C-alpha cells in the first residue's frame, strides 16, 4: 500500500507521461490561443492605439477559451477506458488524486500559455511595463481556470455531447477571474498600482485550491455512479 | 423527528398535501397581487423625477429579489437532496430552477424597459445588471445540466453540485462586478435594514412594493408546488400509487 503522497506523485507522473506521449495534441489549445489573438487585429484594426486598449481583455478572453477547450481532455480518456473508475475506487482520497490530475493538466496546458503570453502582448502592442503584470495574472489565474473547470468536466464527463454544455456551466464561474486579471493588466498598462487585484486573484486561487478538488471529487462520484 | 420528516417528505404524501394547499396559495396570491397592482398602478403617487415610469419598479424590484431568493431556496433544497437523498428536496430544486430563471429574465426585461426612459439606453454594463445577467447564465446552466442527464436522480445530484458551487461564487461574482463598474442606484430598502435609517423610499411607494413582493413569493410557492406535482408524477411513474392515481383503479 503506497502512501497518499506517493499516490499523488505516481498519478502526476503517469498523467505527465501520457501527455508527453501525445505531444501533438498539446499544441492544439496553444495554436487556438495564438490564432484567436491574431484574429483581433484583422477584425478590428491594425492600428496600435486601438489594439493597445483591448490587448489585456483580448489576451485574457483568449486564455479563458483556450483553457476551456483543453479541459475536455482532463477526464475523458480515463473515463472511456475505465481508469477513472479505478481511481475513484482506490483507497486514497479522491480529492487528492483529482488535484494531481488537475496539476498535471495545468502543467501541460496552462504553463505554456504563460510562456507564450508576453510574445502575444507584443503582437497587440501591450506596453512593455505591463508584461510582468500580464504574466503574474496568468500565473495566478490559469490554475483557477483549471481547478474550476475540473468541476464542470467532472459533471459532464458521462455525457456524449458535453462540450457545449461545459462552456455554459463553466464560463459564468470564470467571470471574477477575468474581471480582476484583465483589470490588473489594464491598470498596469496605464501605470497604476495593481497589488490589490493580484491579492484578490491570489485569494481566489487559495479558495479554489481548497474547495474545487472536493467539489470535483463529489461530481466525479455522481458521474461514475 | 426523523420519522416525521420521512413520512411528510414522501412523494405520495407531498402530492396529496400540495393538492390541498394549491387552491389556498392560489387565492391568497391573487388577493395580494390584485391589491398590490391596484396600489402600484393607481393608488400610489408618480415619482417627482421619474414620473409614471416609476411604476415599473413594482414589478422590477420584487422580481430581482425573487431571482436571488429562489436561487437560495434551490441551493438549500439541492444540498439537502445531495446529503440526505431526500427525493422531495431534489424535486423542489429541479422545479425551482426554471421559475428562478423566469424571474431573473423578468427582472432584466423590466429593468431594460425602465432604463430606456431613465438612462436613455436599453442596456448598460452596470454592476447590478451584469450580475443579474450572470445569475441568469447560472440558472440556464443548471437547467441545461438537469435536462442533459437521462437519469433524473443523477441529474438532480449533478445539478446540486453545480448549484452549490454557484452559491459559493455568487458573492464573489457580485462583488467583483460591483468593483468593476457601478451606475445603478443603491437599494433604498436594504439600506433601511442595514443602517437602521428611515427608508429613502416614501411609505406610499413602500406599501405597494412590499405587497407585490409578498404576492411574488406566494406566486413562486404556488408554481413550485404545481411543477413539483408534475415532476413527482413523472419520477414516480413506475410506483403503484401513481399508476392507481392515473388509471383510477387499483393496480394488482
Amino acid at each position: 500500500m503506497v502512501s497518499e503522497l506517493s499516490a499523488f506523485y505516481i498519478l502526476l507522473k503517469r498523467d505527465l507521461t501520457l501527455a508527453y506521449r501525445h505531444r501533438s495534441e498539446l499544441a492544439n489549445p496553444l495554436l487556438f490561443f495564438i490564432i484567436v489573438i491574431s484574429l483581433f487585429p484583422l477584425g478590428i484594426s491594425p492600428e496600435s492605439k486601438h489594439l493597445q486598449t483591448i490587448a489585456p481583455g483580448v489576451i485574457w478572453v483568449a486564455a479563458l477559451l483556450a483553457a476551456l477547450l483543453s479541459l475536455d481532455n482532463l477526464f475523458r480518456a480515463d473515463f472511456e477506458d475505465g481508469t477513472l473508475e479505478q481511481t475513484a475506487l482506490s483507497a486514497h482520497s479522491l480529492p487528492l488524486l483529482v488535484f494531481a490530475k488537475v496539476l498535471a493538466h495545468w502543467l501541460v496546458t496552462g504553463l505554456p500559455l504563460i510562456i507564450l503570453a508576453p510574445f502575444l502582448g507584443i503582437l497587440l502592442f501591450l506596453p512593455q511595463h505591463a508584461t510582468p503584470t500580464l504574466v503574474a495574472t496568468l500565473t495566478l489565474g490559469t490554475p483557477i481556470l483549471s481547478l474550476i473547470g475540473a468541476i464542470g468536466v467532472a459533471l459532464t464527463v458521462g455525457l456524449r455531447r458535453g462540450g457545449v454544455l461545459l462552456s455554459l456551466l463553466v464560463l459564468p464561474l470564470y467571470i471574477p477571474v477575468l474581471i480582476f486579471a484583465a483589470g490588473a493588466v489594464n491598470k498596469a498598462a496605464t501605470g497604476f498600482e495593481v497589488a490589490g487585484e493580484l491579492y484578490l486573484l491570489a485569494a481566489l486561487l487559495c479558495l479554489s485550491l481548497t474547495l474545487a478538488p472536493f467539489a470535483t471529487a463529489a461530481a466525479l462520484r455522481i458521474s461514475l455512479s | 423527528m426523523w420519522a416525521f420528516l420521512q413520512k411528510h417528505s414522501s412523494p405520495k404524501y407531498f402530492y396529496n398535501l400540495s393538492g390541498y394547499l394549491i387552491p389556498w396559495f392560489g387565492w391568497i396570491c391573487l388577493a395580494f397581487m390584485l391589491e398590490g397592482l391596484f396600489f402600484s398602478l393607481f393608488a400610489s403617487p408618480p415619482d417627482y423625477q421619474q414620473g409614471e415610469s416609476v411604476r415599473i419598479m413594482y414589478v422590477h424590484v420584487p422580481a430581482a429579489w425573487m431571482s436571488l431568493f429562489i436561487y437560495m431556496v434551490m441551493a438549500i433544497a439541492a444540498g439537502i437532496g445531495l446529503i440526505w437523498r431526500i427525493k422531495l428536496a431534489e424535486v423542489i430544486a429541479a422545479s425551482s430552477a426554471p421559475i428562478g430563471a423566469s424571474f431573473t429574465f423578468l427582472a432584466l426585461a423590466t429593468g431594460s424597459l425602465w432604463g430606456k426612459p431613465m438612462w436613455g439606453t436599453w442596456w448598460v454594463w452596470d454592476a447590478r445588471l451584469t450580475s443579474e445577467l450572470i445569475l441568469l447564465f447560472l440558472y440556464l446552466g443548471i437547467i441545461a445540466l438537469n435536462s442533459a442527464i437521462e437519469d433524473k436522480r443523477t441529474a438532480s445530484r449533478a445539478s446540486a453540485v453545480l448549484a452549490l458551487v454557484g452559491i459559493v461564487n455568487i458573492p464573489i461574482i457580485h462583488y467583483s462586478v460591483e468593483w468593476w463598474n457601478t451606475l445603478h442606484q443603491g437599494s433604498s430598502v436594504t439600506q433601511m435594514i442595514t443602517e437602521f435609517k428611515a427608508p429613502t423610499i416614501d411609505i406610499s411607494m413602500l406599501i405597494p412594493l412590499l405587497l407585490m413582493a409578498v404576492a411574488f413569493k406566494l406566486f413562486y410557492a404556488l408554481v413550485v408546488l404545481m411543477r413539483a406535482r408534475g415532476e413527482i408524477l413523472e419520477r414516480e411513474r413506475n410506483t403503484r400509487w401513481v399508476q392507481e392515481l392515473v388509471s383510477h383503479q387499483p393496480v394488482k
Side-chain angles (χ1 to χ4, degrees):
Chain A
M1 181 76 188
V2 289
S3 73
E4 295 281 315
L5 211 59
S6 49
F8 177 85
Y9 280 124
I10 290 166
L11 193 59
L12 182 65
K13 212 176 128 193
R14 167 191 176 270
D15 272 24
L16 289 177
T17 317
L18 273 176
Y20 181 70
R21 301 259 161 86
H22 299 277
R23 291 187 282 284
S24 55
E25 278 177 32
L26 290 180
N28 293 345
L30 289 178
L31 285 175
F32 174 82
F33 185 50
I34 299 167
I35 289 172
V36 165
I37 283 178
S38 57
L39 287 179
F40 278 88
L42 300 173
I44 293 171
S45 123
E47 275 181 60
S48 66
K49 70 172 196 299
H50 288 145
L51 290 174
Q52 210 165 13
T53 52
I54 60 163
V58 166
I59 293 175
W60 255 98
V61 170
L64 226 68
L65 295 176
L68 190 70
L69 202 69
S70 68
L71 276 174
D72 206 38
N73 306 332
L74 183 55
F75 296 126
R76 173 78 58 198
D78 279 5
F79 178 76
E80 278 167 0
D81 65 13
T83 317
L84 198 59
E85 205 152 23
Q86 297 303 317
T87 317
L89 285 173
S90 83
H92 301 289
S93 90
L94 188 56
L96 192 74
L97 299 180
V98 162
F99 183 54
K101 287 192 76 67
V102 175
L103 182 61
H105 181 261
W106 177 76
L107 285 175
V108 296
T109 59
L111 206 55
L113 224 69
I114 300 171
I115 298 164
L116 265 177
F119 301 103
L120 294 166
I122 295 171
L123 277 187
L124 294 180
F125 307 104
L126 186 75
Q128 288 291 311
H129 54 91
T131 308
T133 312
L134 178 65
V135 174
T137 54
L138 283 169
T139 314
L140 289 169
T142 47
I144 309 177
L145 302 184
S146 296
L147 285 162
I148 295 178
I151 304 172
V153 188
L155 286 171
T156 54
V157 72
L159 305 171
R160 253 167 294 135
R161 266 186 234 107
V164 184
L165 183 60
L166 177 66
S167 53
L168 190 56
L169 303 187
V170 164
L171 282 178
L173 303 176
Y174 280 175
I175 288 169
V177 180
L178 176 68
I179 289 177
F180 291 133
V185 183
N186 261 323
K187 271 188 170 179
T190 42
F192 286 104
E193 191 59 41
V194 293
E197 270 85 356
L198 292 184
Y199 286 144
L200 280 166
L201 276 176
L204 286 180
L205 178 59
C206 290
L207 193 68
S208 47
L209 268 176
T210 44
L211 293 182
F214 290 95
T216 312
L220 272 182
R221 289 204 193 280
I222 291 166
S223 285
L224 290 169
S225 65
Chain B
M1 174 69 189
W2 191 243
F4 175 83
L5 272 182
Q6 289 264 305
K7 181 188 162 218
H8 289 253
S9 69
S10 85
K12 185 183 173 186
Y13 185 88
F14 175 80
Y15 186 84
N16 293 327
L17 179 72
S18 57
Y20 176 75
L21 285 177
I22 281 175
W24 285 97
F25 275 109
W27 288 111
I28 300 173
C29 170
L30 189 70
F32 268 95
M33 194 73 90
L34 286 176
E35 199 183 352
L37 280 176
F38 171 73
F39 270 100
S40 51
L41 295 183
F42 301 106
S44 69
D47 191 70
Y48 78 101
Q49 269 184 329
Q50 307 194 359
E52 298 291 343
S53 70
V54 75
R55 299 188 195 285
I56 298 173
M57 175 186 78
Y58 302 117
V59 175
H60 171 73
V61 173
W65 283 344
M66 288 311 288
S67 64
L68 267 177
F69 175 76
I70 295 176
Y71 198 97
M72 290 295 294
V73 172
M74 183 182 74
I76 292 169
I80 292 173
L82 192 66
I83 297 166
W84 288 292
R85 306 279 165 90
I86 294 174
K87 282 183 192 169
L88 182 60
E90 292 176 0
V91 168
I92 297 285
S95 353
S96 291
I99 310 173
S102 320
F103 272 115
T104 316
F105 180 76
L106 184 66
L108 280 170
T110 51
S112 174
L113 290 174
W114 197 7
K116 184 63 184 165
M118 289 306 109
W119 297 332
T121 62
W122 297 107
W123 181 260
V124 284
W125 284 102
D126 148 73
R128 285 213 195 169
L129 275 82
T130 312
S131 37
E132 198 72 9
L133 185 67
I134 298 167
L135 186 66
L136 182 63
F137 292 154
L138 288 177
Y139 271 124
L140 294 179
I142 288 170
I143 295 170
L145 187 65
N146 240 330
S147 57
I149 299 176
E150 205 76 17
D151 179 59
K152 288 267 184 184
R153 295 210 70 185
T154 315
S156 283
R157 291 167 60 208
S159 38
V161 171
L162 190 64
L164 292 177
V165 172
I167 207 99
V168 175
N169 256 280
I170 280 178
I172 300 174
I173 292 175
H174 179 79
Y175 283 105
S176 61
V177 172
E178 194 103 316
W179 291 329
W180 165 70
N181 199 353
T182 300
L183 175 79
H184 201 290
Q185 59 184 344
S187 162
S188 321
V189 176
T190 48
Q191 199 184 351
M192 159 180 93
I193 299 163
T194 51
E195 295 168 25
F196 298 104
K197 274 200 293 196
T200 49
I201 177 171
D202 189 77
I203 192 77
S204 62
M205 289 181 170
L206 188 63
I207 288 171
L209 184 62
L210 293 180
L211 281 174
M212 287 303 279
V214 174
F216 273 38
K217 290 254 182 341
L218 287 167
F219 182 75
Y220 163 64
L222 176 69
V223 178
V224 85
L225 286 181
M226 290 165 93
R227 288 190 64 96
R229 269 163 76 88
E231 189 82 25
I232 282 177
L233 286 186
E234 200 186 336
R235 288 183 184 216
E236 304 280 306
R237 62 177 176 273
N238 293 326
T239 61
R240 190 176 168 143
W241 71 270
V242 172
Q243 285 177 359
E244 281 180 5
L245 188 81
V246 174
S247 62
H248 299 294
Q249 57 194 13
V251 175
K252 283 179 263 336

